[in-house]
Structures are given as structure tokens and as C-alpha cells.
Amino acid sequence: MSASTESYLSHARYGKDKVRVFRVVREGKWHHVVEYNVTALLEGEIDVSYTKADNSVVVATDSIKNITYYLAKISPHILHPERFAIHLGTHLVSKYAHIHKAFVTIEKLRWARIPVAEGVEAAKPHPHAFYRDGDDKRIAKVEIDGTGGKDKLVAKVTSGITDLLVLKSTGSAFENFVRDEYTTLVEVNDRIFSTSIDLSYVFAPFAVPAPQDEKKLGLGLGDAAQGTGWDGEAVAEAARKITLETFATDESASVQATLYKMAQLIIAENASVQSVTYALPNKHYVPVDMKYIGVDNMTPAAAEVFVPIAAPSGLISATISRKQR
Ligand SMILES: O=c1[nH]c(=O)c2[nH]c(=O)[nH]c2[nH]1
């Protein structure tokens, strides 16, 4: 029996990963900077490159990288991860007849303006000096679907945040959980709650024009996006604010209950968001038992010294979806 009767190619996607892009946009002396890690992957009529060693259908991943840098240079959307991802995705699907889908993921690293005080004045954001003000990243994931025709491109956008590390030293309890022969955890009405937030939210798909004149794409895309009420930038800001403020102010009964409140608020306040997913590790902080020297560090009110436990952690996740009307 030949190998080909046993198996077939059921899925194929390829492209460039970890394309590191830094871009400065100068408005006179006022500079804007972004740093992205870009992944750009393609699907289409590429099977023979796997099954027949035929590279005639392969747009080299090196070329995909070059297109990414070219668009970083000319795109009017470079400062906005979702819009830049849409630009890159539509460019790839429009340019190559046999490529029907592009999957672009952008991880945006943080660069914030350094506040500088001159004389007695309050500190002001510096026009061209920046610092890394957090390890969290904004994520924009875009699928450009050209399977309905190159003149009917559809954008499916999922955005979010990863690695947003938060902690609260009170306002969190965990009680009334299952108690049986395996239970050693004590119920607490006051504990430390820390998690590294992983959030993603899915927008309703919307039509985008294929780029006709690359340098004018901005206007067309803006119009198309506006028609759907889509504004990736505003939703990103709202989602981050809701996440942080709910975490801070909720009298948390559990990670599960706080997660649900955050997700409900994002859906309620952002009409274009269809569903919200959080994955929240419960990063445990365990009070150090000092009974052996006659010191109480274990009752909630006396617990002041803790061991941060890296592993194992809980892992609480859920997707909250908009009800269809
Ligand atoms: O908020 C929590 N949810 C759990 O499911 C859980 N399980 C656990 O041991 N501690 C916690 N805390």
C-alpha cells in the first residue's frame, strides 16, 4: 500500500511569525511610536506545495515579512493594531489570486510617554521619550476571508489583552465550596486575589474593501468600519478600563464571579462585541504559618506575610456571549 492511500492533507496554513516592527510617526516634534510582533499566515490553493513539492504556489514567508515592513512604512493605519492587521490581511488576499484567507495577529507592546516636569509645572508627557509601563500586550487578531470573492472581503476581528498582572490585598473571599474527604482548603472571607489577565473579545464580522490604491486605503476602510459601528481603539480602551476597575472594586466571591461581571460589562457597553472570553489564573498567596514561634499569621485579620505560589495555580475561564435577538 502506498502512503497516499492512508492519508490526505486536511488543513494547511503558513506564513511568517514574530515579525518585529517598530514604527515612528512624526507630527513635527510630537512623535508617536508603536512596537508590534506580527504573525501573518495564509490559506488558499497551496496544497501542492505540501503534497507535490511544488513551490510555484508559495509566496515565500520572506516576502510576507517584506510586505509587512512595506505596509508598516506606508499604511495610514500603522498606529492602530486592528486596522493595520486588516490592511495587511486585505493586501495579501487581494494581491495573490490563489490566496483566499489571511490570518494576521498583532501583539502590541507598551510604550508610554515619560512624564517630565519643567520647573514648578506639573509633569507633562514628553514628545519623544517613552518607557515600558507594563508587560501586558494588546492583541489584535484578524482573519480576512476572501472565499466569497475578492471584491467581498470579510474581516473577522478578535482583540484582547494578555499578561496584565493585577493583585488586590482585600475585597476577595472564597467560601461555600464543595467540602468532602479531599478538602483541605479553609474557607476565607478575606484573601489576596492576584491574576494575570488574558482577555479576548470577538467583534461581529464586517465587510472591508480590497485596497485599490494602497495609500488611499485609509479612507475606504474607515468608512466601511464606521458603517458597522466598529472602533477597535475605543473598545480596547473600554475593555481595559472595565477589567481593571471591576477587578479593583468588586467584592469578589470567587474568580468565577468577578470574571462574569467584567465580561457582562464589556458586552453591555460595547455594541460591536459579540462575545468575551477571559482566562484567569488564580495566583495563590499563602499566609506563612508562624504558630511554631507563637505568632498568629494565619487568621485573615493577622495574615500579613505570604508566600507567592507560582505553581500550581487555579485556572478559571469562561466565554460570555451576547444574546441573539
Ligand atoms: O476563586 C476561586 N475559585 C475556585 O474555583 C477556587 N478553587 C480554589 O482552590 N480556590 C479558588 N478560588
Side-chain angles (χ1 to χ4, degrees):
M1 195 165 16
S2 79
S4 63
T5 60
E6 291 290 299
S7 54
Y8 71 105
L9 184 70
S10 52
H11 174 73
R13 185 185 293 179
Y14 82 104
K16 208 63 151 185
D17 191 20
K18 302 187 175 74
V19 182
R20 297 194 59 178
V21 180
F22 181 86
R23 171 70 146 91
V24 56
V25 175
R26 300 186 185 91
E27 270 183 333
K29 291 195 156 80
W30 186 256
H31 292 186
H32 305 265
V33 299
V34 283
E35 183 169 344
Y36 295 151
N37 294 319
V38 181
T39 306
L41 306 176
L42 305 179
E43 279 185 21
E45 291 156 59
I46 55 174
D47 289 14
V48 292
S49 66
Y50 296 82
T51 59
K52 307 248 189 287
D54 178 353
N55 290 341
S56 65
V57 294
V58 179
V59 178
T61 69
D62 192 61
S63 309
I64 297 170
K65 174 208 68 185
N66 292 343
I67 292 168
T68 305
Y69 285 125
Y70 169 64
L71 291 188
K73 176 81 178 165
I74 64 137
S75 177
H77 304 294
I78 186 64
L79 296 178
H80 307 290
E82 284 88 358
R83 285 172 186 257
F84 181 64
I86 290 170
H87 190 172
L88 179 53
T90 52
H91 179 104
L92 290 164
V93 172
S94 306
K95 168 95 180 142
Y96 301 105
H98 68 295
I99 297 301
H100 302 308
K101 286 186 177 180
F103 299 81
V104 179
T105 302
I106 294 187
E107 189 181 68
K108 182 185 185 207
L109 306 180
R110 295 184 70 82
W111 285 116
R113 293 178 191 281
I114 298 176
V116 177
E118 276 181 40
V120 291
E121 280 184 25
K124 284 197 201 122
H126 196 273
H128 62 249
F130 303 84
Y131 71 112
R132 174 76 27 97
D133 66 336
D135 291 330
D136 56 303
K137 290 126 203 141
R138 193 171 140 195
I139 308 291
K141 272 184 158 195
V142 168
E143 174 186 336
I144 298 297
D145 184 348
T147 50
K150 300 282 181 173
D151 55 345
K152 291 196 179 63
L153 301 182
V154 173
K156 297 171 186 169
V157 182
T158 300
S159 296
I161 304 171
T162 59
D163 300 326
L164 178 56
L165 187 59
V166 292
L167 179 148
K168 63 198 286 186
S169 51
T170 188
S172 166
F174 189 57
E175 297 170 296
N176 303 321
F177 48 86
V178 173
R179 298 211 75 83
D180 60 18
E181 65 273 34
Y182 298 110
T183 311
T184 56
L185 188 70
V186 290
E187 305 200 3
V188 280
N189 59 16
D190 191 10
R191 66 174 181 173
I192 288 177
F193 176 9
S194 177
T195 187
S196 176
I197 291 163
D198 186 331
L199 160 67
S200 65
Y201 42 90
V202 180
F203 292 98
F206 54 89
V208 282
Q212 302 293 328
D213 176 346
E214 206 77 76
K215 285 170 195 160
K216 288 197 188 135
L217 179 91
L219 302 164
L221 178 58
D223 293 346
Q226 261 167 26
T228 62
W230 183 79
D231 183 347
E233 214 66 34
V235 177
E237 244 173 66
R240 192 169 202 277
K241 184 165 185 285
I242 288 167
T243 300
L244 289 174
E245 289 183 1
T246 309
F247 176 80
T249 57
D250 184 37
E251 283 299 322
S252 174
S254 65
V255 179
Q256 286 89 331
T258 302
L259 179 163
Y260 188 60
K261 286 183 189 170
M262 292 171 174
Q264 278 187 305
L265 275 175
I266 292 178
I267 297 220
E269 293 182 15
N270 297 278
S272 54
V273 171
Q274 297 302 293
S275 68
V276 174
T277 299
Y278 279 101
L280 302 179
N282 189 6
K283 299 171 90 67
H284 305 298
Y285 283 68
V286 178
V288 177
D289 192 348
M290 300 184 186
K291 270 201 300 289
Y292 62 99
I293 40 174
V295 172
D296 178 16
N297 190 60
M298 293 305 281
T299 53
E304 292 168 320
V305 179
F306 297 82
V307 192
I309 305 285
S313 69
L315 182 57
I316 316 298
S317 70
T319 298
I320 288 76
S321 299
R322 184 177 297 283
K323 280 187 187 158
Q324 301 302 326
R325 287 180 192 277

